[in-house]
Amino acid sequence: MNRIHHQRLVDQVPALFVLLIVGAVLAGCASSAGAHTAGASPTHSPALAASTPAAARIVTSRHYGYTEALPAGWRLVTQATQQWDGKGAPGYEDSVVDLFAGPGGVQAWALAAPTKESLAAYTTATIRAARAAHPSSPPQSNRAITIGGAPARLLTVIAPAGSGFLVEIAVTVHHGTAFVFASLNPSGTTPTDRPAFRKFLASITFPR
């Protein structure tokens, strides 16, 4: 792969990745009125300005309700400033996305929306939507995990197919809300990506 082609893939992956997430959530979301229009500038969470270092490591999503106890090497980049309505195609810097950065360049996004689907149906719809929208590979893996004590599925795909860019998408349904946590490293697949994202997922809790 020449340098120009590789750079184009690097530039395209964040947008492709976010669309994979959006397609997954759209497949399980209940209908809602109106469409979100992107454009608001991302802002830093007040959690970063907490009075103690320990408190600063605990991030509760303003709009989606989950709490992330940030593992070592992870930081909050920005919280969503608006709640996503389940429509449109938010970019990775959109105002409806919670964005995190981890060790070695790994990044993670989080979105959530109401759904009436079961986890099994939602996972099937996620795979179908991702493959229909983008030239991604069939899932390299689809394994059962837990997120915040709730059953979840962890999907691994290569997007675009044949590019070598690893995209991981974790989905769970908790009390009628579908949560999507996804990860990639824009520089390509590295051995540190997977364990770093596993630690991120293991640090998530949901309100009771």
Side-chain angles (χ1 to χ4, degrees):
M1 179 184 297
N2 62 41
R3 180 176 297 177
I4 294 174
H5 182 57
H6 176 76
Q7 186 60 47
R8 286 176 177 169
L9 283 174
V10 171
D11 292 341
Q12 292 170 357
V13 164
L16 288 169
F17 167 60
V18 173
L19 289 173
L20 282 171
I21 300 174
V22 171
V25 176
L26 281 173
C29 287
S31 298
S32 59
H36 173 73
T37 301
S41 299
T43 59
H44 291 280
S45 166
L48 293 181
S51 58
T52 66
R57 303 300 299 170
I58 307 298
V59 176
T60 297
S61 176
R62 293 191 196 102
H63 294 290
Y64 306 129
Y66 67 89
T67 295
E68 169 65 40
L70 291 166
W74 282 91
R75 65 184 177 86
L76 174 68
V77 177
T78 184
Q79 282 212 40
T81 57
Q82 300 179 57
Q83 186 165 352
W84 187 40
D85 64 6
K87 297 185 179 182
Y92 70 98
E93 290 185 336
D94 193 87
S95 59
V96 299
V97 171
D98 291 342
L99 177 62
F100 299 85
V106 65
Q107 295 177 318
W109 284 253
L111 291 170
T115 185
K116 296 180 180 178
E117 299 283 358
S118 67
L119 176 60
Y122 187 81
T123 300
T124 298
T126 297
I127 296 170
R128 186 188 310 117
R131 298 210 67 206
H134 306 286
S136 59
S137 70
Q140 305 295 297
S141 64
N142 178 352
R143 36 189 302 258
I145 61 170
T146 60
I147 300 176
R153 304 298 302 187
L154 180 62
L155 310 173
T156 303
V157 301
I158 303 298
S163 68
F165 287 99
L166 178 70
V167 177
E168 293 193 290
I169 304 172
V171 297
T172 188
V173 177
H174 181 73
H175 293 335
T177 298
F179 291 86
V180 177
F181 303 95
S183 176
L184 67 77
N185 191 322
S187 64
T189 302
T190 68
T192 61
D193 291 357
R194 296 191 187 198
F197 189 47
R198 302 297 189 279
K199 289 181 180 179
F200 179 88
L201 293 175
S203 302
I204 292 168
T205 57
F206 298 115
R208 295 185 181 276

